[in-house]
Amino acid sequence: MSDADREFGGVALFNPQLLAKGELIHDFVVRIAELESLLADLRSRADATPQHHLVLGPAGMGKTTLLHRIAYAIEDDAELGEAYLPLLFPPEQPNVRNLGDLWLNCLNALSDTLARWGRAAESIAIDEIVDALPRDAAVELEVRGRAALLGEAQRLGRRLVLLIDGADGVLERIGDEDWSFRDVLQQSADLVVVAASSAAPAATYTYGAAFYDFFNLVRLPGLDLGEARTLLLTLADRLADAPVRRLIEEHTERIEPIRSLSGGNPRTIAALFETLRLDARETLLGDLETLLDRHTPKFEAQFHGLSGQAQTVVDAVCRRWDPAIAADIAGDTGLTVNTVSAQLDRLVSAGVVERVASVDLATGLASKRHAFQVTERLFNIWYLLRGGGRTRRRLVEFAHFLHAFHGPRTIQTAAGRKLVAAARKPPTIPADLPMELLQTIEAADAMVLAERLVFVPSVAAGIAGQVREHLDAAGLTDRWRPAREALNAVDLGTPDVLEALAPEVRAPALALYDAWLEAASAEPD
């Protein structure tokens, strides 16, 4: 059976190359803008100096899938196919020790492409060239391998598009030959690099390094709710799963919390589809635990692959959840600030953590110091859920809030009806009303609590700070944390303070803040 006829028939979470070409193209319904932009650049530069690109995004953001989709688009487009020939490589290319090894891999990838296209004689001829290259003489391998590759490009009359996955590792192993690699790319129009990496290689951002300001950077953001639903519905259609399709269409509370907690990670969204197929009756917390159990081997390997001090720092960053500055992490760990800063720099370079703006949660004012958070948000959630004690309870309570926040917005309790009545009265509220409502409204009315209690009567009466204090005093800060943080923003008069929160907490808090602005500007009933 040829590659064109082969079908995987499932959801490829870690290896999109398992999908048949038709399956991958069918499932490619996000990252459309990035694909079209890269193809447009290739099309516009077919007879001009090429632009080289570097796609950046954490693990699971769709980098590998995007590279495969580019290859198929070039193959299927008459204009691009006349000008370019795409080369795909194994992730990371661990056999690359020097630049000569990279040219060797390029020749092997070219042979594979020609074989897949049915051009067996040309593929065999390239295999013979590869067999004749010296493996024990790095300099000669680089010279002869490069000449053979460029010679094949000239013979074929096409530029070779090197779709390099895990570019950070490849460039690191090339080491001192990175300048030679750059020289070849600058001097020959026959090679175009479209690379992908979880973290920007040091050679691309260090002033004076070989690839400083060389690549056009393409950053992959997390999916929004619409994109996540589109991906899930596309998988349901390909696998003809009508029950899961109905669930996706009707129950946003099962989709949006997972999307939010994972930072919109496409791999996690695809894994959620499989979780929904296993048991469409599951709860949000059950969905989350199933997903995290599936990711446990990967996350454990990532964590245990760090040095002892790096593990200590990552532990502190995860437990804080919100972005943390080096001084706070030092206080949590007992390490010096200099030691923490050095570890954070290494973790940023490795793509484990990322720098973000620092904001004072008490004032909303920006700080000159950077804060740090875990790059892959689902890793942070996994770490909190497995931590036990309050660490786990905070996450569980937040999951309950998200489920209610995105669920049906109905008022079913007497306290809920009392809230609506209070909201329609002049802005005067009995002093005991906030606590009474906090004690009586069920979790299922979380959105009602947030919209009605927090953003209509309490704000109108000027007691946002008082309600926030009630939440803290009642021990409900974890359960209603987004509402509590939105109240803080109301009290301070700025949403900027919400930038100090973890992204998954910030999103519903900002939505609540915006709801208050809308309610405050609306005409009274």
Side-chain angles (χ1 to χ4, degrees):
M1 180 180 292
S2 69
D3 285 350
D5 297 327
R6 170 183 56 84
E7 286 193 2
F8 177 66
V11 180
L13 298 180
F14 296 94
N15 299 288
Q17 63 270 21
L18 294 176
L19 294 172
K21 178 178 178 179
E23 290 176 318
L24 188 141
I25 292 174
H26 176 274
D27 291 355
F28 195 88
V29 291
V30 297
R31 308 303 185 206
I32 301 297
E34 292 83 359
L35 172 67
E36 292 179 346
S37 176
L38 290 166
L39 294 178
D41 183 79
L42 290 173
R43 189 172 283 111
S44 68
R45 296 174 183 270
D47 297 315
T49 302
Q51 170 68 64
H52 305 281
H53 305 274
L54 178 60
V55 179
L56 294 174
M61 280 296 185
K63 302 182 296 297
T64 304
T65 303
L66 175 59
L67 294 184
H68 279 75
R69 186 65 185 90
I70 292 170
Y72 295 147
I74 293 173
E75 292 177 0
D76 294 342
D77 185 283
E79 180 184 353
L80 290 173
E82 283 293 319
Y84 299 100
L85 193 153
L87 302 183
L88 287 164
F89 304 87
E92 307 295 339
Q93 299 188 62
N95 64 330
V96 170
R97 300 159 299 172
N98 50 55
L99 190 52
D101 288 336
L102 180 59
W103 302 138
L104 195 64
N105 282 0
C106 289
L107 288 165
N108 282 322
L110 178 57
S111 175
D112 289 344
T113 299
L114 293 174
R116 184 162 52 85
W117 289 357
R119 297 165 67 167
E122 292 171 283
S123 173
I124 292 171
I126 294 174
D127 290 342
E128 291 173 349
I129 293 173
V130 168
D131 290 341
L133 291 174
R135 303 300 201 276
D136 56 351
V139 174
E140 186 179 358
L141 176 62
E142 194 282 320
V143 173
R144 290 175 56 184
R146 168 167 39 92
L149 182 67
L150 296 178
E152 286 299 311
Q154 289 290 317
R155 182 185 66 79
L156 292 163
R158 290 179 173 89
R159 289 177 171 176
L160 305 179
V161 182
L162 312 187
L163 299 163
I164 301 175
D165 204 359
D168 50 342
V170 173
L171 290 180
E172 182 180 352
R173 290 192 298 277
I174 287 175
D176 294 339
E177 293 181 283
D178 53 2
W179 277 105
S180 297
F181 187 28
R182 174 171 176 149
D183 288 343
V184 173
L185 296 179
Q186 286 186 311
Q187 294 167 14
S188 173
D190 290 326
L191 303 180
V192 183
V193 173
V194 180
S197 178
S198 295
T204 65
Y205 61 79
T206 303
Y207 183 75
F211 291 99
Y212 180 77
D213 204 25
F214 181 79
F215 291 103
N216 170 54
L217 300 182
V218 180
R219 299 184 185 277
L220 300 183
L223 304 184
D224 60 27
L225 177 58
E227 292 170 324
R229 283 169 54 86
T230 297
L231 176 56
L232 289 168
L233 291 171
T234 299
L235 292 172
D237 288 342
R238 175 162 69 81
L239 299 174
D241 197 319
V244 172
R245 172 177 251 284
R246 286 194 297 273
L247 190 153
I248 294 165
E249 291 174 332
E250 298 172 4
H251 293 279
T252 302
E253 74 275 11
R254 294 284 295 277
I255 311 303
E256 174 57 11
I258 298 297
R259 185 210 65 82
S260 176
L261 290 171
S262 70
N265 187 291
R267 178 183 292 159
T268 304
I269 303 303
L272 173 61
F273 175 81
E274 289 204 321
T275 300
L276 296 176
R277 293 188 84 193
L278 289 172
D279 188 352
R281 300 166 299 172
E282 241 323 348
T283 63
L284 168 61
L285 189 58
D287 290 342
L288 184 59
E289 290 177 327
T290 300
L291 282 171
L292 293 178
D293 180 68
R294 186 165 190 170
H295 282 75
T296 290
K298 170 179 174 264
F299 288 156
E300 284 184 340
Q302 289 178 349
F303 184 73
H304 293 303
L306 301 172
S307 70
Q309 282 190 343
Q311 289 182 12
T312 299
V313 170
V314 169
D315 172 82
V317 173
C318 285
R319 289 179 182 277
R320 277 193 168 261
W321 198 359
D322 294 334
I325 62 174
D328 289 338
I329 298 169
D332 292 346
T333 61
L335 300 173
T336 67
V337 173
N338 287 341
T339 298
V340 168
S341 295
Q343 289 295 334
L344 287 170
D345 286 342
R346 295 188 187 100
L347 291 166
V348 168
S349 297
V352 178
V353 302
E354 60 185 353
R355 292 185 181 90
V356 294
S358 176
V359 179
D360 187 334
L361 196 56
T363 65
L365 298 177
S367 169
K368 294 181 179 179
R369 295 175 293 184
H370 280 110
F372 298 85
Q373 65 184 18
V374 172
T375 304
E376 190 172 356
R377 298 311 304 159
L378 196 66
F379 177 91
N380 203 145
I381 301 304
W382 169 79
Y383 205 89
L384 290 172
L385 197 61
R386 76 197 291 264
R390 192 192 170 203
T391 299
R392 176 184 171 85
R393 289 199 305 274
R394 290 171 68 203
L395 192 282
V396 171
E397 295 283 20
F398 183 61
H400 286 315
F401 179 91
L402 288 180
H403 185 271
F405 185 83
H406 296 289
R409 300 180 184 184
T410 58
I411 301 175
Q412 299 176 345
T413 65
R417 290 191 291 273
K418 188 174 182 180
L419 258 179
V420 175
R424 291 173 176 166
K425 291 179 179 179
T428 56
I429 298 178
D432 62 346
L433 180 59
M435 180 55 70
E436 175 188 349
L437 293 168
L438 289 175
Q439 292 172 338
T440 58
I441 292 184
E442 299 295 332
D445 286 326
M447 192 61 191
V448 176
L449 171 69
E451 286 184 338
R452 300 294 186 178
L453 169 62
V454 172
F455 294 109
V456 182
S458 65
V459 173
I463 59 168
Q466 179 185 342
V467 176
R468 184 190 67 215
E469 291 171 3
H470 275 303
L471 282 167
D472 294 343
L476 297 171
T477 300
D478 290 336
R479 172 62 60 93
W480 308 114
R481 192 182 179 210
R484 189 260 183 218
E485 302 299 355
L487 278 172
N488 189 48
V490 169
D491 202 32
L492 294 173
T494 174
D496 293 348
V497 67
L498 302 179
E499 292 299 318
L501 305 177
E504 51 276 3
V505 179
R506 183 191 314 138
L510 185 59
L512 293 175
Y513 183 89
D514 290 341
W516 168 72
L517 291 181
E518 182 178 350
S521 62
E523 293 292 330
D525 291 343

